Amino acid sequence: MKTINRRNWIKSSLFTLGGLAVAPSIPSFAESKSTFASKSALREELPKFPFNEARMFARLNANENPYGPAPKVIQAISESLVLGNRYGHGDAFTLIGMIAEKEGVSPDHIMLGPGSSDLLEKIAFVRFMQGGNVVSADPSYMSLIHTAQSMGATWKPVLLTADHAHDLDAMASAVDGETKLVYVCNPNNPTGSITNSSELRDFCKTVSPKAPVFVDEAYLEFLEDPESHSMVGLVAEGHDVIVARTFSKIHGMAGLRIGYIVAQPERIKSITSKVRSTMGLCVTSLKGAIASMKEQEFLQNCRTLNAESRNFVSKEITSLGYEDIPSHTSFIIFPIAMEGQKFMKSMYEKGVGIRVFNIHEKPWCRVSMGTMEEMEIFVESFIAVTA
Ligand code: PLP
């Protein structure tokens, strides 16, 4: 990514401050429609204009970690380049052992993939080969759902509650004899909201005998006490729960592509009997992930800096009259008062990448947390664009 030079940005940015548009407050998704919607409440507004990511001043559109990878990870990767002629099986073995120890399970409970996307897709391929249905929240992260649908599965979306948590009672009721998987994203993307972990634990215990519960914990590590919110302990207890984690977010390794699932050994075997796991991984990423797992101070620093950026943005947009959903992740989402495509284009013209989602046909801005300097650029651009 291009290094930010704030002075350059100010020079190139022709912003003016003026009167603000009337900001919308957050509508309750739960009240917007009946619990079981016929189509998704979420529709991404995709850019209809050309843009060059390399020329952005603040790339805040993909929930990337601006601080990573850790210096020791970069060093480990650099040193591993000469091993590029060898397969990384030994390193995969080492990494699986480290993850198993951390998560309190034996290594046969772990499967690696080039990013958790790969594992979300692979589980969807395996579970929905014979159709069936998938239950998940709406709005939520759609990667697994889209793959399931492409395999012929029916999606049973369940609207979030008024406080943007998973409606666990309604999701449990949606599970039927045809349900092949329940997907829970906690904390949730794109809302940034969290579902109470003890309620989710009870839900997993009740529902998993009927259908495996897949809990996507991509953003878990941005919480102050991640382990207490994780569902991974349920796997160790023998429940049919699949937990996904990624090195893309707090570890700052999105471009290096590495993630894992923790699940019952028979669930792992149901995938690895059809497709291979570690074969998709580079020796560089494996060495990097092994190094990153030891970088606890770096991870805590990312957590702290992310929270500082999040508090700053939340405070700034609140002072402008906007209302964000309290975020537990590395991004913030809030409703905007401007036509979505026009807003996005104006922000990109200022060199600020963001995402626009229409939720129940109303435009929302999702902004990833960058450095404080990037967030200042975001806020100043936002003021200029919405003035
Ligand atoms: N799950 C969630 C909730 C995400 O937001 C993302 C990426 O943004 C992923 C999974 C996939 O991440 P990756 O494939 O980089 O591990």
Side-chain angles (χ1 to χ4, degrees):
M1 194 177 83
K2 182 172 171 156
T3 314
I4 301 291
N5 178 329
R6 197 169 150 69
R7 249 175 309 147
N8 279 355
W9 173 78
I10 290 171
K11 260 195 271 163
S12 76
S13 172
L14 300 168
F15 72 90
T16 50
L17 302 183
L20 296 172
V22 179
S25 59
I26 294 179
S28 160
F29 301 155
E31 286 161 15
S32 306
K33 281 191 183 167
S34 64
T35 302
F36 300 105
S38 57
K39 68 176 177 96
S40 179
L42 185 72
R43 187 174 54 81
E44 181 162 10
E45 183 77 42
L46 295 168
K48 293 183 185 146
F49 49 88
F51 63 90
N52 183 350
E53 281 199 325
R55 296 190 61 197
M56 276 182 196
F57 290 106
R59 185 163 133 170
L60 307 172
N61 57 340
N63 301 342
E64 296 158 337
N65 177 343
Y67 310 107
K72 290 222 172 113
V73 172
I74 295 172
Q75 190 188 337
I77 290 173
S78 309
E79 288 168 7
S80 74
L81 286 174
V82 292
L83 299 170
N85 60 325
R86 303 288 178 193
Y87 289 113
H89 301 313
D91 293 309
F93 183 81
T94 304
L95 180 60
I96 286 175
M98 289 171 80
I99 293 169
E101 197 183 330
K102 172 177 176 276
E103 307 297 3
V105 291
S106 55
D108 56 353
H109 290 76
I110 311 295
M111 179 175 172
L112 300 176
S116 57
S117 301
D118 177 77
L119 299 161
L120 289 160
E121 288 166 4
K122 278 180 177 157
I123 194 99
F125 281 133
V126 170
R127 289 302 293 164
F128 298 101
M129 272 175 172
Q130 266 86 46
N133 70 57
V134 55
V135 173
S136 79
D138 184 30
S140 191
Y141 193 64
M142 294 300 286
S143 177
L144 183 149
I145 309 302
H146 285 153
T147 307
Q149 286 176 310
S150 75
M151 296 293 289
T154 306
W155 178 39
K156 293 181 89 176
V158 178
L159 293 175
L160 296 173
T161 62
D163 58 356
H164 313 109
H166 283 71
D167 189 339
L168 297 174
D169 290 341
M171 287 180 75
S173 310
V175 173
D176 60 27
E178 289 300 304
T179 305
K180 297 284 189 288
L181 195 78
V182 176
Y183 173 78
V184 175
C185 184
N186 197 42
N188 192 35
N189 186 7
T191 53
S193 49
I194 196 160
T195 299
N196 178 283
S197 48
S198 68
E199 288 169 20
L200 181 55
R201 213 162 274 128
D202 290 344
F203 170 86
C204 289
K205 284 184 192 169
T206 319
V207 169
S208 61
K210 296 173 202 150
V213 182
F214 189 111
V215 188
D216 186 339
E217 297 186 345
Y219 298 96
L220 184 93
E221 285 125 323
F222 290 103
L223 298 171
E224 259 319 313
D225 183 14
E227 305 312 328
S228 72
H229 293 271
S230 177
M231 294 300 118
V232 88
L234 294 175
V235 182
E237 287 171 25
H239 296 280
D240 197 358
V241 171
I242 304 154
V243 174
R245 294 276 184 77
T246 179
F247 284 84
S248 297
K249 305 300 173 185
I250 197 122
H251 289 268
M253 294 174 60
L256 291 158
R257 312 305 302 132
I258 190 154
Y260 64 90
I261 52 171
V262 188
Q264 296 308 323
E266 54 274 26
R267 284 275 161 248
I268 304 279
K269 274 195 219 125
S270 74
I271 311 172
T272 53
S273 61
K274 296 178 182 65
V275 288
R276 289 200 276 174
S277 57
T278 54
M279 208 57 183
L281 293 162
C282 301
V283 70
T284 44
S285 314
L286 288 162
K287 291 275 193 207
I290 290 168
S292 201
M293 284 197 70
K294 299 174 200 150
E295 291 306 294
Q296 289 307 315
E297 205 180 314
F298 168 82
L299 300 181
Q300 181 54 47
N301 200 26
C302 289
R303 193 174 292 127
T304 306
L305 292 169
N306 177 69
E308 279 173 20
S309 287
R310 211 170 51 193
N311 291 340
F312 168 75
V313 174
S314 177
K315 205 163 133 262
E316 290 294 319
I317 60 170
T318 305
S319 75
L320 295 169
Y322 293 82
E323 195 186 355
D324 54 316
I325 296 180
S327 171
H328 301 267
T329 60
S330 58
F331 57 88
I332 284 182
I333 193 164
F334 60 99
I336 51 173
M338 197 170 161
E339 199 267 313
Q341 189 64 223
K342 190 173 163 213
F343 169 75
M344 188 166 34
K345 186 163 186 280
S346 309
M347 290 297 281
Y348 273 78
E349 277 167 6
K350 297 217 164 281
V352 180
I354 42 84
R355 294 276 268 275
V356 171
F357 291 96
N358 294 299
I359 305 180
H360 294 299
E361 300 305 326
K362 298 265 168 44
W364 293 59
C365 167
R366 195 198 71 181
V367 54
S368 308
M369 294 304 106
T371 61
M372 193 56 89
E373 191 172 28
E374 288 172 309
M375 300 332 293
E376 283 168 1
I377 290 175
F378 164 77
V379 170
E380 288 171 33
S381 300
F382 183 80
I383 292 171
V385 160
T386 54

